[in-house]
Amino acid sequence: MINNKIDKHGSKLVWQDAITALCAVCSILLIFWLVKFGAYGIDFTDESFYLLWIDDPYSYSWPASQFGFIYHPIYSLLGGDVVALRRFNILTTFVLAWALCIIFISNLAPSTKKNRIYNLTVSAGLATSALILFDSWLSTPNYNSLNLQALLVTAIGLVLANKTVQRSSVIGWVLIGIGGWLAFMSKPTTAAALGFGVLIYLVIARKCSIQMIALSVGCAFTLLFLSAFLFDGSVVGFVERFQMGTEFSMLQEGGYSTFEMLRIDRFYLDKKLQIAAILVFLTLVIALYCSWVGRLFLASLISVAFFGITALLTLGQIHQAAGFGHFQGLLIFSVVGSIAIFTFFIRPNGFKAISRSQWALAVLFLIFPYIYAFGTNGNYWSQGSWAAIFWLLAGLTLLSPIMHERVSWMLFLSIALAVQAVTATLIQSGFENPYRQPQPLRLNSSTIELGPEKSPIILSDSYATYISSAVSVADKAGFKPNTPVIDLTGQSPGIVFAIGAESIGQAWLIGGYPGSIRFTEAALANTSCERISTAWILYEPEGPRSISANVMQSFGSEFAEDYKKVGSWKVADGAGGYQTRPLQELYKPIEPKEIMKNCQMLRQVE
């Protein structure tokens, strides 16, 4: 009898260890997959704007987001290597998510601390859900990535923090302050919503401590004061930057007003997404039930199937993207739903055993994706799904009652493998349909040196030709690195970065909005006449988002008379999201002193 029990226990451990190994392999495959493709592709609009901002954040005096200042030191330490910067972003996001999952699972069921290998492996598997951030393949650090990293830091702090003055609690409160500061530096609207949400959570969870809250707030404000002096030389200058950034955002008329931000968007689930969600939901529910009742063969079989999906995708054996549509990130709810249904089926009254603080944290995590998206002009459900890890953690809270009864690592492993399969599927869509790029990343074959530090990056032939043509024209015309450029194409900061220029007025003078001309005129009005006078002009006469050359009159210049065309090149099809684009032209100022004189005279009159 005893021998039978030992055999069953030994058999269970064999299955469990085998699935643990598969989960660890999936995490490694996913990380290496993303790191590998960190050297592939470039978007000439948003992603190039991020690079210009990070490359020289001190050149721009009024953007509302300060992510450029946060990432600039890292960019400098990496020698201006774009690929290394992307890989840093990927690994940082994963490591923060991993740390959060380790702490969260330990808090959910303290007995899990005894099995460190299982905890680390399961946590890594769950943490891969944070990589959904890259499902459109914008891997260069930006305000969205900093925003998610800020929420991850804050979440770690929230799990650790309590009323007591213990080391872990103090660390937690400090991390809440750091997370709030990072959120403010990435997106002030998120920081405001985060502060409100955290305060409500602390009250409901009964974690309020004047001493500890003062520590957290003091930490955040200390970092803000240091940022003010480092970035702007004074608090007044720092405040003026944000005020100006807000005013300029309104000029674009791009959907950033307070009324437009306070909304609840709708979502639509593509038919393929509905089918995939149902399949994941049903198979995971079966796996969880089998894991709980001891039918490990079937549970393991389903887990192996999830492993197979991840392995085939990451090893390049499946090339066709799932194509789940604009709201594909909501697929993670199939995992959350399966956890909820399983828990209710096993312990109908178990939810009563979940503590007040756990419920409060679960609810806060449920709204974290909304807090993450708050303030964007995009759909909140689509944007919020980049922070889908918090929906997942909220769902895991429901396992607390049964985990206190009996820790089942097979439950966690099944969930982790399902999460990895979902994550790999969503990332695959980004690799096969990268944002505003003409072809799947795997088909890129032309290596080109990009930017001031000549970072080697692998592009499509058409994109490589586009960049090399622009660089060639600039070189032949005697263009020097760091020369100012006014980009009137409305959507080509990538070319400005490629030729090593300094975009003046703003890292990206965005065209295509009702207020784009007023936005550009205001940006140039806040630029010195000295810099304007030496600036070259990048122009796209018939471009779909071009900014009228008449804006040059706002600083006393006549485009046709004061500038000489030095060359042109064909824009690559697909650049900026348009299938066909006309030529772009580069112009050089003929008499910089005359331009500066006219600019100064006009401003004196005004």
Side-chain angles (χ1 to χ4, degrees):
M1 188 74 174
I2 294 175
N3 288 335
N4 287 337
K5 288 184 178 179
I6 293 174
D7 289 342
K8 287 182 179 180
H9 181 68
S11 177
K12 177 182 177 181
L13 284 178
V14 169
W15 282 110
Q16 190 167 282
D17 289 346
I19 300 303
T20 300
L22 293 182
C23 184
V25 169
C26 278
S27 296
I28 293 169
L29 287 173
L30 275 164
I31 294 299
F32 272 93
W33 194 35
L34 269 77
V35 166
K36 171 191 172 183
F37 279 103
Y40 286 69
I42 185 72
D43 161 45
F44 288 103
T45 54
D46 297 71
E47 191 170 24
S48 297
F49 156 65
Y50 307 150
L51 288 170
L52 283 171
W53 199 170
I54 293 170
D55 182 52
D56 189 10
Y58 294 93
S59 293
Y60 312 111
S61 60
W62 51 266
S65 174
Q66 308 305 304
F67 73 90
F69 287 113
I70 302 299
Y71 290 121
H72 177 71
I74 298 158
Y75 177 73
S76 298
L77 284 172
L78 295 173
D81 189 328
V82 174
V83 174
L85 183 68
R86 288 174 167 183
R87 289 169 174 168
F88 166 84
N89 194 35
I90 292 164
L91 293 174
T92 299
T93 302
F94 174 73
V95 168
L96 287 174
W98 192 6
L100 172 59
C101 290
I102 292 170
I103 295 167
F104 184 82
I105 289 176
S106 299
N107 182 70
L108 195 68
S111 58
T112 57
K113 296 178 183 178
K114 299 176 184 177
N115 300 289
R116 184 171 295 180
I117 297 299
Y118 291 149
N119 193 341
L120 290 173
T121 304
V122 166
S123 297
L126 297 172
T128 59
S129 60
L131 301 176
I132 293 174
L133 173 67
F134 306 109
D135 72 352
S136 59
W137 200 237
L138 291 172
S139 55
T140 297
N142 56 79
Y143 57 89
N144 286 316
S145 62
L146 183 60
N147 205 17
L148 178 59
Q149 290 157 10
L151 291 180
L152 290 170
V153 170
T154 304
I156 293 171
L158 289 170
V159 176
L160 292 174
N162 55 55
K163 284 182 166 183
T164 61
V165 186
Q166 298 175 333
R167 186 177 67 173
S168 61
S169 178
V170 170
I171 291 173
W173 287 102
V174 169
L175 288 176
I176 292 171
I178 294 173
W181 166 69
L182 287 174
F184 186 81
M185 300 304 288
S186 62
K187 207 163 93 176
T189 50
T190 287
L194 178 62
F196 182 75
V198 168
L199 181 61
I200 297 298
Y201 160 75
L202 293 174
V203 171
I204 295 175
R206 295 173 181 168
K207 284 189 174 184
C208 283
S209 165
I210 300 300
Q211 183 182 10
M212 294 293 100
I213 291 176
L215 172 64
S216 186
V217 173
C219 178
F221 273 96
T222 298
L223 289 170
L224 281 173
F225 277 117
L226 288 173
S227 301
F229 283 99
L230 285 172
F231 304 157
D232 295 287
S234 69
V235 174
V236 173
F238 193 66
V239 172
E240 288 177 349
R241 172 194 293 273
F242 279 97
Q243 289 177 336
M244 192 178 295
T246 302
E247 292 171 4
F248 273 55
S249 296
M250 295 302 104
L251 284 175
Q252 283 182 319
E253 298 179 34
Y256 295 106
S257 68
T258 303
F259 177 76
E260 289 171 309
M261 287 190 290
L262 291 170
R263 67 182 191 273
I264 298 177
D265 290 326
R266 297 180 179 181
F267 62 87
Y268 169 77
L269 300 183
D270 184 273
K271 268 193 174 181
K272 290 175 68 176
L273 179 58
Q274 292 179 35
I275 294 171
I278 292 170
L279 287 174
V280 172
F281 171 80
L282 291 176
T283 52
L284 185 54
V285 166
I286 294 170
L288 294 177
Y289 177 76
C290 292
S291 297
W292 185 252
V293 299
R295 298 183 180 178
L296 298 185
F297 176 76
L298 184 54
S300 299
L301 193 63
I302 294 173
S303 294
V304 169
F306 285 133
F307 166 80
I309 293 170
T310 305
L312 289 172
L313 287 168
T314 55
L315 294 173
Q317 300 305 305
I318 298 176
H319 296 311
Q320 187 173 0
F324 290 147
H326 192 56
F327 301 100
Q328 62 177 11
L330 300 182
L331 183 59
I332 200 71
F333 274 114
S334 60
V335 177
V336 176
S338 66
I339 295 171
I341 292 299
F342 162 75
T343 307
F344 180 77
F345 181 77
I346 296 297
R347 292 289 179 273
N349 298 318
F351 294 158
K352 296 178 182 179
I354 298 175
S355 70
R356 182 189 185 97
S357 62
Q358 286 178 325
W359 272 122
L361 188 60
V363 172
L364 181 61
F365 280 176
L366 273 177
I367 65 172
F368 255 27
Y370 181 87
I371 290 173
Y372 171 84
F374 183 67
T376 182
N377 62 353
N379 184 281
Y380 281 3
W381 287 104
S382 177
Q383 294 283 113
S385 65
W386 288 344
I389 183 174
F390 295 107
W391 287 329
L392 174 64
L393 294 180
L396 286 173
T397 303
L398 302 178
L399 291 175
S400 177
I402 63 175
M403 284 297 128
H404 278 88
E405 177 185 328
R406 170 166 61 92
V407 173
S408 172
W409 285 109
M410 282 298 291
L411 283 180
F412 280 127
L413 288 166
S414 297
I415 294 168
L417 283 157
V419 167
Q420 290 167 327
V422 168
T423 300
T425 301
L426 299 182
I427 292 173
Q428 169 76 352
S429 70
F431 287 169
E432 290 297 306
N433 301 289
Y435 183 70
R436 291 180 175 174
Q437 295 184 52
Q439 64 184 28
L441 296 178
R442 60 186 167 80
L443 299 180
N444 290 0
S445 57
S446 296
T447 301
I448 193 167
E449 293 181 337
L450 180 69
E453 304 304 325
K454 308 299 181 184
S455 303
I457 193 163
I458 305 169
L459 306 176
S460 65
D461 292 344
S462 61
Y463 270 32
T465 300
Y466 176 31
I467 290 177
S468 59
S469 298
V471 171
S472 176
V473 168
D475 288 345
K476 288 179 181 178
F479 187 88
K480 303 296 182 184
N482 299 317
T483 298
V485 163
I486 299 173
D487 176 17
L488 296 181
T489 67
Q491 58 175 341
S492 295
I495 292 300
V496 178
F497 183 78
I499 64 177
E502 177 192 350
S503 180
I504 64 172
Q506 166 66 310
W508 179 13
L509 296 172
I510 307 176
Y513 288 112
S516 289
I517 291 179
R518 284 185 297 157
F519 171 82
T520 302
E521 289 176 342
L524 294 175
N526 280 275
T527 305
S528 69
C529 289
E530 288 78 8
R531 294 178 72 198
I532 287 175
S533 65
T534 58
W536 293 38
I537 308 297
L538 179 60
Y539 191 48
E540 193 173 328
E542 299 178 5
R545 298 181 70 175
S546 289
I547 298 168
S548 172
N550 291 334
V551 298
M552 310 292 284
Q553 296 173 358
S554 66
F555 56 84
S557 176
E558 291 292 339
F559 181 64
E561 299 173 5
D562 296 334
Y563 295 88
K564 176 186 177 183
K565 179 180 172 181
V566 296
S568 62
W569 55 84
K570 186 181 183 304
V571 181
D573 291 344
Y578 294 90
Q579 288 306 308
T580 56
R581 293 266 300 276
L583 293 176
Q584 286 182 343
E585 302 169 344
L586 186 63
Y587 290 82
K588 179 180 181 179
I590 298 172
E591 291 290 343
K593 291 182 179 180
E594 189 66 24
I595 295 173
M596 183 168 68
K597 178 182 175 182
N598 293 338
C599 176
Q600 291 172 337
M601 288 178 62
L602 183 63
R603 290 184 179 179
Q604 286 175 358
V605 172
E606 294 176 348

